[in-house]
Amino acid sequence: MTKPAFFAPDFARAPFAGAPEATFAPLPADGVLPEGFFSTSNLPTYVRVGGRWLTPDRPRMDCVIVKRPDGGLETIEPRRLARGELVAMGEAEDGTGGIVVYGEGFLGGGHSANEFRFMSTEVSRERPVNYEELAARLNEEKAQGGYLIWVAGPALVHSRARGDFEWFIRNGYVQAVLAGNAVAVHDIEAAIFGTTLGMTNTGQPTDGGHGLHMRAINQVRALGSIENAVKAGLIKSGIMHALVTNKVPYVLAGSIRDDGPLPGVYSNSLEAQDAMRELTVLATGAILVASALHAIAVGNMLPAYHTNYGGAPTPLMTICVDQTEFVVNKLKDRGTHQAYGVVTNAQDFMHVLRFYVERSSNA
Amino acid sequence: MTKPAFFAPDFARAPFAGAPEATFAPLPADGVLPEGFFSTSNLPTYVRVGGRWLTPDRPRMDCVIVKRPDGGLETIEPRRLARGELVAMGEAEDGTGGIVVYGEGFLGGGHSANEFRFMSTEVSRERPVNYEELAARLNEEKAQGGYLIWVAGPALVHSRARGDFEWFIRNGYVQAVLAGNAVAVHDIEAAIFGTTLGMTNTGQPTDGGHGLHMRAINQVRALGSIENAVKAGLIKSGIMHALVTNKVPYVLAGSIRDDGPLPGVYSNSLEAQDAMRELTVLATGAILVASALHAIAVGNMLPAYHTNYGGAPTPLMTICVDQTEFVVNKLKDRGTHQAYGVVTNAQDFMHVLRFYVERSSNA
Amino acid sequence: MTKPAFFAPDFARAPFAGAPEATFAPLPADGVLPEGFFSTSNLPTYVRVGGRWLTPDRPRMDCVIVKRPDGGLETIEPRRLARGELVAMGEAEDGTGGIVVYGEGFLGGGHSANEFRFMSTEVSRERPVNYEELAARLNEEKAQGGYLIWVAGPALVHSRARGDFEWFIRNGYVQAVLAGNAVAVHDIEAAIFGTTLGMTNTGQPTDGGHGLHMRAINQVRALGSIENAVKAGLIKSGIMHALVTNKVPYVLAGSIRDDGPLPGVYSNSLEAQDAMRELTVLATGAILVASALHAIAVGNMLPAYHTNYGGAPTPLMTICVDQTEFVVNKLKDRGTHQAYGVVTNAQDFMHVLRFYVERSSNA
Amino acid sequence: MTKPAFFAPDFARAPFAGAPEATFAPLPADGVLPEGFFSTSNLPTYVRVGGRWLTPDRPRMDCVIVKRPDGGLETIEPRRLARGELVAMGEAEDGTGGIVVYGEGFLGGGHSANEFRFMSTEVSRERPVNYEELAARLNEEKAQGGYLIWVAGPALVHSRARGDFEWFIRNGYVQAVLAGNAVAVHDIEAAIFGTTLGMTNTGQPTDGGHGLHMRAINQVRALGSIENAVKAGLIKSGIMHALVTNKVPYVLAGSIRDDGPLPGVYSNSLEAQDAMRELTVLATGAILVASALHAIAVGNMLPAYHTNYGGAPTPLMTICVDQTEFVVNKLKDRGTHQAYGVVTNAQDFMHVLRFYVERSSNA
């Protein structure tokens, strides 16, 4: 909310000095502009007319500049103009066409001409996600022998992305998984009872369902470890099954929300950090899905680069997937500025990514 | 998304049995109702006239019930009535005033034992989306000759779901589209320039991009209509191209955010409402994607049921897709309680739904 | 926020009348339950033992009911039980297995006529927050000698609500605080350097600011404890200062996101849970602000009622404040159905609540 | 997701050339650092040791750099170090202390040294809102004869901020209001019936409440205008009453969501735009609260500056208040880059702002 300092333009210098006269052309029909019209922004705009720099009245964006019969310039909606009226022409905003859009003091430091733009927020649900590129990057990492760390929150399991995650594990796209007790608990409840927190995979509650995760935990505790539960056939599918049978290392970090916990969970946070760090130092990429706590914890540990490919520091691919921009921005605000944000549902992300990865690896 | 069981009313019992005739009173002036008028909801409504229970035509909420000279009953916006026309009176919905609002099977039931449970919030990013069922419902509607109305917001176009929407249109899953000027503008900018608001489909800004939507609008205005722009080859792909070439009716409703507007946009909101309503009365289903304004406007017009399949009121499939729970809950809070919420990104929703619909229709 | 009416159980009727004795079975191993154990909820629970209906001590969800050698019943985490200890058995909550979960008055009632309505979503930014009532409830608790537990997330400190929280502590509205390492770190960084994560309290970044929290932690570690740092004059203001000088108990639970940690933080999650639980069993109310992890962890431990005022179960005031509906609904989805949601910014909530509490306590 | 180009450091140039040796100091106690330690970031870091630039192993942020007995450097958590171990010292990241943090290619263009920081996202619920400054700016505008345009969405009325808005109008802080039909409808329903959409101001639904807004609209329609309804005593309080009695100009723009509409609402969007623009051209400031549609529409019309104070372009204060970052960022993405975002609830914003404005104007 600090008032930005505004520097009045210096007409003796670039981009003003030496600029030509602006050009104007007539509307071919009512409300229809001549091709090549100048489209306004909301920044101070100077138009060269008769050797002087004029500022059009009533400035606003997404309009045109009409020259009135008396020589006055006005910013106006195209629909309000009639055939034959004269509007300023050109796309250049740097004076080369006789028009200067002056952003100095309005757009922050280090900006240049033609800086007014839409859709510049980096993390937004409204930006397209380039799944082709994400898939290509994953296949590239796999081909190069990269080390991809996946971080997952429990929503991934609730939302039926469990099968897709399993696919990524079994197909060599997952070198390590960092998650919490809850991810394993929901995954194992799903393996044993077909529910997560008592909700079926079509989203229906079940009678007595609120106790099912406690029963799942108890059965694993009775067997002594997740590995034993896989061996004993209690756990026949899912994320933990895939990790154990594919010998992919994982760390389950404990938290104060944990029920149980499952055997193997690090209840001591510092021991969990140490175990996680032994994996993060190997990373050439990280994919953080639907967890604020674990994503930020891992982000804290990850360098913004790695030196595994040839020695020179190369940016460490960091993808953060969350339902809202907030978690991605929070991750960046905690220093993981390199994160590429995908704002979507975990279930759909995993599904679409898998689809593209399959297609790209078959191609 | 389970179809709620609907129990047809039993006229031999309360609240029907013994109810008096409904009363009607004339409008004191054009568009001004008599005090004490009956205000409609979107639930099945029965009006006692001449000893019979009649169901007014064209049901929707926030309207009144007019008795036509021929005795027919119609649900209608007050602004469309003239002095002297007769509207149903009373506030009671339980039959005591001759009108029954019948919610059975539409509003869910009461509580019972074993009610403590987790995951009972209806609309949540953490609930699985049952795409198999959604796809089955769409194919079912197509097979039955249903009438599916799609409502779309601009994020659908930004986020590269344009191609998937086109696919649904060309394959007969879209009987009408209700949207705003911006959806058509972005779609046409993409068709002509490959950008939306100057952003490429991989999310990169382009130089001078902020003017591209104005140039797209202008080129269509020069040709006189979107239809002409399709015929002239200016628009060769996308949503509007698919709608025009497949003769699918659409309404583009204007708003104060509009640039242009494009030819064919209803700048008058009331005329837009009237045009939209001629389509909503035909609906057997509605899919509302990434628009709060348009989703709520259409939700207001939609009854919670339709009578197209055999006559008995059957719930009208209403799917609302948004990035956050808020818009879905707001829609419900404005009375469209029947909405099934899908909390995800428009791009991913369209992509995954298409995948399942293709698979299910091939099966 | 209206206090729901609670109806005391009538033991002469169903589901109590005629119920059999509850059954108990021994643990087969330390921390491993017998199959078929009874899994608790947060609702009033009655267990038939020796012809009487007993209510287990220390109620909470996701636990079991142990029968102590003296016949007393206690709700307890399975991990705290040893081989041979006896736990209540069965899944039925309706008395048929000798256990009744009594939800009457806690889960709301069924539907009736005239049910079509707007604005029925319980948790919404669009609902007014009745601060007068919240303030009255706080003052009422204070007057009755209640025990209010506050849970806070780091956003509370970032957003300048630190001073208001301090005020609540110093004025007797806070009987215990449950938070994480980060809350204390930010608070102490603010006390020493006037920043949180290097951001000033007007939101400006500072040069070298990214290291300030590390320097704050280090200075406290050098002194050995937060208490010492207060005594030594290093910490002269803020939340931790108020807690220490007012002798209000607190638990700082560690997590994998922690830097440091500060001395006194429980790095072991299970020890943290145990310490937290010793405070939650005293609670007559809970105020959960801007933390998903800690709010849900505490919600898991809290019964939906307490018996401190006269013995009959009375609803435990549970207020959950978050920027989005999601966290409140997630808390409810994890079983804390009694939570009253306030959807707003932590800074503003604390400020407005303080204003109303001051006004109401002066009146 | 484009791979940023990384430029390998040129050790022959600044900030490398001529840099001194890095210094190291011993830990005074186990896990306690010497004051003045170097705190790491996640960017490539070069340390001058023995005339060479070394890169510490295992890089990550929020750690220190230990010099191992063999001369090797490692990035490590302070808690893992013992008394006497040597860590790198200094706060400078530009080589002047023998350490260079090299951000080139990692932080985007135009960056300088010491650029790694936390909390740099501009719009975030976690940033403090400087209400003192907002209040000062409002009072300054009032003193200078500024022209403040307020834009409001219906949530402002639902959430009991109605009284606070009324206060701002009556006290000269509001020169024009731009809103929609719904704001006026809710405000008038509140004036007549004490509800909004049938919900009381404590958030309770009322029986038959769903028709109350229709009855409110009808009563105003019967009187012909909002002004008449104020004169006739139908509307005795609230926003519309304050606007009419204080002769503050307003535009109510219609939309397809409108019931009614109220007399005076511009149902034609283009006429609404024209009416709005006659007010926006006068603006020296704009406060946009809880409306995406109207905020973006007005943002489109507003220049980023005005020339009312002395002629030179001066930034036009633009405050956008919304529950989520999304709407503020969307407004910026539509070109209103100058918007200052306040992420909070409309009710609380109005309340706190009023409190500060009152205090600041009394001072």
Side-chain angles (χ1 to χ4, degrees), chain A residues 33 37 93 127 203 344 348, chain B residues 127 203 210 215 218 344 348:
Chain A
L33 300 166
F37 61 90
E93 300 178 351
R127 295 181 77 76
T344 191
D348 291 342
Chain B
R127 296 181 77 77
H210 75 81
R215 301 187 198 286
N218 192 55
T344 191
D348 291 342

Side-chain angles (χ1 to χ4, degrees), chain A residues 151-156 288-293 295 320-323 327 345-346, chain C residues 330:
Chain A
V151 172
L156 188 141
L288 321 168
V289 187
S291 170
L293 172 64
C320 181
V321 183
D322 202 85
Q323 189 69 39
V327 168
N345 188 290
Chain C
K330 184 161 180 168

Side-chain angles (χ1 to χ4, degrees), chain C residues 11 39 46 67 80 110 117 178 232 280 316 327 332 357 362:
Chain C
F11 296 109
S39 187
Y46 298 85
K67 189 200 258 177
R80 304 181 79 172
R117 52 178 50 134
L178 305 179
T280 58
L316 193 148
V327 168
K332 288 170 169 277
V357 167
N362 293 338

Side-chain angles (χ1 to χ4, degrees), chain C residues 10-259:
Chain C
D10 179 349
F11 296 109
R13 292 171 172 247
F16 295 98
E21 286 281 298
T23 56
F24 292 83
L27 270 73
D30 289 0
V32 178
L33 301 165
E35 279 287 299
F37 62 90
F38 180 83
S39 187
T40 62
S41 73
N42 59 4
L43 296 170
T45 300
Y46 298 85
V47 184
R48 188 79 177 169
V49 178
R52 292 186 307 147
W53 287 103
L54 304 182
T55 53
D57 289 341
R58 298 168 61 96
R60 60 159 290 186
M61 70 175 85
D62 290 337
C63 277
V64 291
I65 297 169
V66 65
K67 189 200 258 177
R68 294 297 187 195
D70 66 359
L73 300 181
E74 183 186 330
T75 311
I76 193 164
E77 295 82 358
R79 64 178 161 81
R80 304 181 79 172
L81 294 175
R83 182 162 187 271
E85 293 197 85
L86 293 169
V87 296
M89 299 296 288
E91 297 192 21
E93 301 179 350
D94 62 355
T96 56
I99 304 178
V100 174
V101 176
Y102 189 74
E104 210 68 39
F106 285 96
L107 292 167
H111 285 283
S112 58
N114 272 28
E115 278 293 313
F116 178 78
R117 52 178 50 134
F118 298 117
M119 303 301 289
S120 56
T121 298
E122 240 176 88
V123 180
S124 168
R125 65 194 71 171
E126 294 191 317
R127 296 182 76 78
V129 176
N130 196 344
Y131 280 104
E132 284 96 342
E133 195 190 330
L134 288 182
R137 291 292 297 273
L138 258 69
N139 279 318
E140 206 179 297
E141 288 285 347
K142 190 179 168 184
Q144 284 185 284
Y147 197 94
L148 296 182
I149 287 187
W150 291 66
V151 173
L156 189 140
V157 191
H158 283 307
S159 67
R160 311 211 302 174
R162 198 176 156 248
D164 291 317
F165 195 16
E166 210 183 316
W167 182 90
F168 281 106
I169 297 167
R170 298 205 192 280
N171 285 276
Y173 294 96
V174 180
Q175 278 64 55
V177 168
L178 305 179
N181 182 63
V183 166
V185 169
H186 296 339
D187 178 60
I188 293 172
E189 182 188 330
I192 302 177
F193 298 110
T195 56
T196 60
L197 288 181
M199 174 179 71
T200 69
N201 79 351
T202 58
Q204 303 303 314
T206 52
D207 251 14
H210 74 82
L212 292 179
H213 70 294
M214 298 305 294
R215 302 187 197 288
I217 291 168
N218 192 54
Q219 295 188 13
V220 179
R221 284 174 74 100
L223 290 167
S225 72
I226 294 172
E227 285 67 19
N228 288 351
V230 169
K231 269 181 233 148
L234 177 68
I235 302 171
K236 295 202 180 79
S237 68
I239 298 165
M240 298 314 300
H241 184 269
L243 291 174
V244 169
T245 55
N246 288 270
K247 299 189 173 33
V248 172
Y250 64 90
V251 175
L252 299 177
S255 91
I256 51 170
R257 274 177 59 186
D258 293 352
D259 292 313

Side-chain angles (χ1 to χ4, degrees), chain B residues 47-67:
Chain B
V47 184
R48 186 81 176 169
V49 178
R52 291 187 308 146
W53 288 103
L54 305 183
T55 52
D57 289 341
R58 298 167 61 97
R60 59 159 291 185
M61 70 176 85
D62 291 335
C63 278
V64 291
I65 297 169
V66 64
K67 191 200 256 174

Side-chain angles (χ1 to χ4, degrees), chain A residues 122-357:
Chain A
E122 236 176 273
V123 180
S124 168
R125 63 193 73 171
E126 293 191 317
R127 295 181 77 76
V129 177
N130 196 343
Y131 281 104
E132 284 97 341
E133 195 190 332
L134 289 181
R137 291 293 297 271
L138 259 69
N139 279 318
E140 206 178 297
E141 288 285 347
K142 189 179 168 186
Q144 284 184 283
Y147 197 95
L148 296 182
I149 288 187
W150 291 65
V151 172
L156 188 141
V157 191
H158 283 307
S159 66
R160 310 210 305 173
R162 200 177 156 248
D164 291 316
F165 195 16
E166 209 181 319
W167 183 89
F168 281 107
I169 297 167
R170 299 204 191 278
N171 285 277
Y173 296 95
V174 180
Q175 277 65 53
V177 168
L178 306 179
N181 182 64
V183 166
V185 169
H186 296 339
D187 177 61
I188 293 171
E189 182 188 331
I192 303 177
F193 299 110
T195 56
T196 60
L197 289 179
M199 172 178 70
T200 69
N201 77 350
T202 58
Q204 302 304 312
T206 52
D207 251 16
H210 74 82
L212 291 180
H213 69 296
M214 298 305 294
R215 300 186 199 288
I217 291 168
N218 191 53
Q219 295 187 16
V220 179
R221 286 174 73 101
L223 290 168
S225 72
I226 294 172
E227 285 69 20
N228 289 351
V230 170
K231 270 180 232 150
L234 177 68
I235 303 171
K236 294 203 182 78
S237 68
I239 298 166
M240 297 315 298
H241 185 269
L243 291 174
V244 169
T245 55
N246 289 270
K247 299 191 173 30
V248 173
Y250 62 89
V251 175
L252 298 177
S255 91
I256 51 171
R257 274 176 61 184
D258 293 353
D259 291 314
L262 286 168
V265 166
Y266 288 85
S267 289
N268 186 300
S269 302
L270 304 180
E271 291 170 14
Q273 284 185 349
D274 293 349
M276 292 160 75
R277 183 114 190 271
E278 292 312 310
L279 301 174
T280 58
V281 294
L282 304 173
T284 61
I287 298 153
L288 321 168
V289 187
S291 170
L293 172 64
H294 290 261
I296 294 172
V298 171
N300 274 6
M301 291 181 189
L302 279 180
Y305 64 98
H306 67 90
T307 50
N308 288 34
Y309 301 156
T314 174
L316 193 147
M317 176 182 74
T318 310
I319 300 166
C320 181
V321 183
D322 202 85
Q323 189 69 39
T324 59
E325 292 85 357
F326 176 64
V327 168
V328 184
N329 283 322
K330 184 162 181 166
L331 177 67
K332 288 170 168 279
D333 271 352
R334 267 57 178 183
T336 308
H337 43 81
Q338 79 270 18
Y340 171 78
V342 178
V343 182
T344 191
N345 188 290
Q347 174 184 7
D348 291 342
F349 172 78
M350 296 297 282
H351 204 67
V352 178
L353 182 63
R354 170 184 169 175
F355 177 78
Y356 278 92
V357 168

